Structures are given as C-alpha cells and as structure tokens.
C-alpha cells in the first residue's frame, strides 16, 4: 500500500513505528527475534503454513517467548485459513454484494477493529494476576459476517 498509495499509508500509520525485515534471510530473522524478545503481542497476517515456514508458528513462539501473545489475522476461520481470499470474497459469502462493487473494504476494515480488540484482550491477559500468553485468530470472513448481521436480521 505504501507504494501505490503513500498518502493513505501514511495516514493509516500515524504514530506507528514501521520496521522492515526480510524474514527469509538470517539477518531479517535476527532482527525480528531481537524485537520479539521485548514484545508483548505479535500481530501477523500470513496463512498458517507461511508462519510455519518462517518459524513463527504458535507452538515454536510459545516455547521461545513464553510471555508473547500472538494475534493471527487470516482470511477465513478454521480449516479455510489456508485459502487465499480477498475482501470481496468474504463480502460475497456474507451476501453483502448485490450487483455493484461495495463502496469500501468492509471485511478488511471491520477485521482491523477485531484485531485491535484481540490485541487488547491479549494485553489484558498478560497483565492479569495469573498472566497468560494467548494465541488469538481473527478471520476476515468472520468480520464480513459480523457487518452483515443487521441485514440478515432485518
């Protein structure tokens, strides 16, 4: 997004420290792991198999960083998390496309709010009397179904 729409990217990342690392290289992995050692929540948006290839699956992360929570954004829930998909796919599945293209990326935008809620849930769990690191998954298809509720129920 930063390449094709720099102004919007800048607007959406105000106050966010952006670090770039090629996770397919040793240097990129080392950079990431230096950050993870001092991080409370890792937010990812890869398919589960890609996380495994990058050494970022939950089982491994949990062993390496017991105090680290992970919020994993995927396209669809459950077994469908491996399927590639797009906002329009999830809107169509939720019956929110009726002839014209939607005016905005409803699934992506609602999914981002659901991800923020998951991050807050993880942070609260880490700060509880008995801290527990969490692995939470946010599916964009679930976000589409959520924004479709008023329409489905009249």
């Amino acid at each position: 997004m930063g390449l094709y729409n720099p102004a919007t990217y800048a607007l959406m990342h105000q106050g966010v420290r952006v670090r770039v690392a090629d996770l397919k290289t040793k240097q990129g992995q080392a950079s990431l792991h230096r950050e993870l050692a001092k991080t409370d929540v890792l937010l990812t948006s890869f398919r589960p198999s890609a996380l495994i290839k990058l050494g970022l699956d939950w089982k491994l992360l949990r062993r390496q960083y017991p105090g680290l929570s992970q919020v994993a954004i995927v396209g669809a829930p459950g077994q469908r998390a491996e399927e590639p998909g797009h906002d329009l796919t999830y809107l169509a599945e939720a019956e929110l496309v009726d002839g014209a293209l939607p005016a905005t990326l409803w699934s992506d935008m609602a999914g981002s709010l659901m991800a923020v809620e998951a991050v807050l849930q993880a942070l609260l769990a880490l700060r509880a009397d008995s801290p527990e690191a969490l692995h939470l998954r946010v599916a964009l298809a679930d976000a589409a179904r959520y924004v479709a509720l008023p329409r489905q129920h009249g």
Side-chain angles (χ1 to χ4, degrees):
M1 180 178 201
L3 296 175
Y4 70 84
N5 196 330
T8 301
Y9 181 85
L11 177 68
M12 294 179 78
H13 289 82
Q14 287 179 347
V16 175
R17 181 177 59 131
V18 176
R19 304 284 286 235
V20 177
D22 182 349
L23 301 182
K24 294 180 182 177
T25 67
K26 286 183 182 180
Q27 298 88 349
Q29 282 284 326
S31 175
L32 172 67
H33 286 279
R34 279 192 300 275
E35 294 294 324
L36 289 179
K38 54 187 177 184
T39 299
D40 292 323
V41 180
L42 172 64
L43 180 66
T44 61
S45 60
F46 295 99
R47 290 180 302 204
S49 60
L51 290 173
I52 292 169
K53 287 179 187 175
L54 294 170
L56 298 174
D57 61 296
W58 176 241
K59 289 180 184 177
L60 182 60
L61 286 175
R62 184 82 170 117
R63 278 196 307 269
Q64 289 180 291
Y65 308 100
L68 176 70
S69 290
Q70 182 182 25
V71 174
I73 300 171
V74 295
Q79 296 298 323
R80 292 188 57 212
E82 285 295 329
E83 293 177 15
H86 304 280
D87 191 273
L88 191 57
T89 305
Y90 310 125
L91 293 178
E93 287 176 356
E95 299 179 7
L96 291 174
V97 178
D98 46 6
L101 288 177
T104 190
L105 303 171
W106 294 108
S107 303
D108 291 344
M109 300 307 288
S112 70
L113 295 175
M114 292 172 81
V116 168
E117 290 175 356
V119 167
L120 292 173
Q121 181 182 350
L123 289 172
L124 287 171
L126 290 173
R127 282 152 180 77
D129 289 336
S130 301
E132 180 183 352
L134 300 178
H135 179 262
L136 303 168
R137 190 176 275 181
V138 172
L140 299 180
D142 290 341
R145 281 191 289 279
Y146 177 74
V147 297
L149 283 174
R151 183 174 180 173
Q152 291 172 353
H153 296 280

